[in-house]
Amino acid sequence: MTALPDTMRSLVAPKYGFPTEWEVTDMPVPTIDDPKEMLIKVYAAGISTGDTQVARGGTKYLIGDLKMPHKIGIEAAGVVVKIGTGVTNFKPGDAVYAFGLSRPMNMLAAPGFCSEYCVAREALVLHKPATTDFVDVCNLANVVTAIQTIDMGLRHMRDNGVVDGLEGKTVFVPGGLSATGSAAIQVLKNVYGVGKLITTVSTAKVPLVEEYLPGLVDQVVDYTKCRNLADAIPAGSVDLVYNTQWGVQKTFPLVKRNVGVVASIASVPSPGLLRGGDQGPGMLPPLPFFVYWFAAVAQWYYAWKLRGTNVKHEFHSGNIGAREDLERAGEIVAMGKVKAVKRVVELEDIDVVRREAQKVATGKGGIGKLIIKIV
């Protein structure tokens, strides 16, 4: 076995700020500190909105100060080079996908997966599907979130008396060419058999929807030309909203008043989801009391906006630690039912990395998942 280097190249935030200030620098190669961990040589890493939010200080008043420089990245694919004594399902040489955080998510941990090497826990590692390359598999977390959020929506639909699933139903997914939206659209159509799929994009991206999501989207709405969604999507015509953007209340009029459901990954979580309980650990470690108070007020606001209807709304935060869902997502990707909509840049091309990561931070201009190629 080739000796490991002492240092590696890593994408870091040298101080709090937007990606325009990120750098690629030398950092120590991480070490295995737990028997259930493994060291992975990273081939490609994904950049998410959460990476940019934490790095610019969006959570510092809730979780404390980051240690600078802050290593970027919580999702990667590569090859195992070393395993802890308690690892049983992986060995050196295995090609894998890995995620950096489980619930409760310690945002101060900075797993730094956008580096030449990373350490991951066995429970959050999956053998890379043989049919998928390292770059494409870096979108797997969005597939896990999609199936979990859709299943949550189906539970609410059953509570409303809709027991025949999503086949033939109408679903609205805003932001269809985002990393989250593009993954959800493919899962909805190719796995759950949705009948009509509606999405929104900007003017410049309208002709790109068919290019990146061929045959999957039935109606494309140019949100820059549509002041109110109900002007393009008839009120009460949608069975399920898979919400990917802030302002979830704007989607409420679209769903069927008696049976509609809004399953959201971009709204305020409930206090119960933040804290955890009988259903498992919460999203985050203990937070200041006013955070739970604000979360409760937000739920009252959503309920007030939905008064007079039987519409159900709930926020979901993807949980990669749910092993069954991670493995199911891997199978879906292996079968070709979801293909990553992506843009790929080289780690050392820092100007391009900054430019594309800034698009992730602002939610403007990017298409699909931003992947940083390392090998």
Side-chain angles (χ1 to χ4, degrees), residues 186-214:
Q186 293 178 77
V187 173
L188 284 160
K189 275 283 192 172
N190 296 335
V191 178
Y192 290 85
V194 165
K196 182 178 181 179
L197 199 296
I198 307 169
T199 194
T200 58
V201 293
S202 62
T203 304
K205 293 179 182 178
V206 169
L208 300 179
V209 173
E210 183 60 22
E211 176 183 344
Y212 286 97
L213 299 169

Side-chain angles (χ1 to χ4, degrees), residues 19-237:
T20 50
E21 300 180 84
W22 289 0
E23 297 175 353
V24 177
T25 189
D26 290 332
M27 297 290 288
V29 171
T31 57
I32 294 173
D33 297 322
D34 185 281
K36 298 296 287 184
E37 291 179 341
M38 65 188 78
L39 181 67
I40 298 168
K41 181 175 177 58
V42 178
Y43 282 50
I47 301 296
S48 68
T49 304
D51 291 316
T52 68
Q53 291 172 337
V54 172
R56 71 173 186 258
T59 57
K60 66 181 296 186
Y61 297 109
L62 300 180
I63 63 174
D65 287 317
L66 300 174
K67 180 181 179 181
M68 296 297 180
H70 171 74
K71 293 195 296 182
I72 305 295
I74 59 174
E75 184 174 19
V79 173
V80 177
V81 295
K82 189 176 181 180
I83 61 172
T85 57
V87 173
T88 57
N89 295 314
F90 299 90
K91 63 183 184 302
D94 285 350
V96 297
Y97 162 86
F99 198 76
L101 298 172
S102 60
R103 293 183 180 177
M105 295 182 290
N106 179 10
M107 309 306 290
L108 297 176
F113 278 21
C114 195
S115 304
E116 291 181 310
Y117 293 89
C118 72
V119 168
R121 292 186 60 81
E122 182 176 23
L124 301 178
V125 177
L126 186 74
H127 286 99
K128 182 182 74 66
T131 55
T132 307
D133 63 29
F134 291 102
V135 168
D136 284 337
V137 81
C138 285
N139 196 41
L140 195 59
N142 287 323
V143 181
V144 174
T145 298
I147 60 177
Q148 291 176 341
T149 306
I150 295 164
D151 284 348
M152 179 188 75
L154 283 168
R155 290 195 295 273
H156 284 306
M157 291 177 70
R158 288 193 292 271
D159 290 341
N160 278 346
V162 180
V163 297
D164 55 349
L166 286 172
E167 289 189 13
K169 299 292 194 302
T170 297
V171 177
F172 172 52
V173 182
L177 288 180
S178 64
T180 54
S182 60
I185 286 171
Q186 293 178 77
V187 173
L188 284 160
K189 275 283 192 172
N190 296 335
V191 178
Y192 290 85
V194 165
K196 182 178 181 179
L197 199 296
I198 307 169
T199 194
T200 58
V201 293
S202 62
T203 304
K205 293 179 182 178
V206 169
L208 300 179
V209 173
E210 183 60 22
E211 176 183 344
Y212 286 97
L213 299 169
L216 297 180
V217 178
D218 301 283
Q219 180 183 351
V220 181
V221 177
D222 181 348
Y223 69 81
T224 67
K225 297 180 179 179
C226 182
R227 189 184 184 101
N228 298 305
L229 288 171
D231 293 337
I233 306 168
S237 65

Side-chain angles (χ1 to χ4, degrees), residues 235-303:
S237 65
V238 173
D239 296 281
L240 172 70
V241 171
Y242 184 108
N243 181 62
T244 65
Q245 298 178 337
W246 286 100
V248 64
Q249 67 277 4
K250 297 176 183 177
T251 71
F252 291 170
L254 306 180
V255 294
K256 296 178 178 178
R257 293 176 60 84
N258 293 326
V259 296
V261 171
V262 178
S264 178
I265 62 171
S267 48
V268 180
S270 68
L273 180 57
L274 287 172
R275 284 197 185 99
D278 294 340
Q279 302 302 314
M283 284 175 55
L284 297 168
L287 298 168
F289 77 93
F290 62 83
V291 177
Y292 302 115
W293 179 85
F294 172 78
V297 170
Q299 307 315 305
W300 296 333
Y301 170 74
Y302 296 140

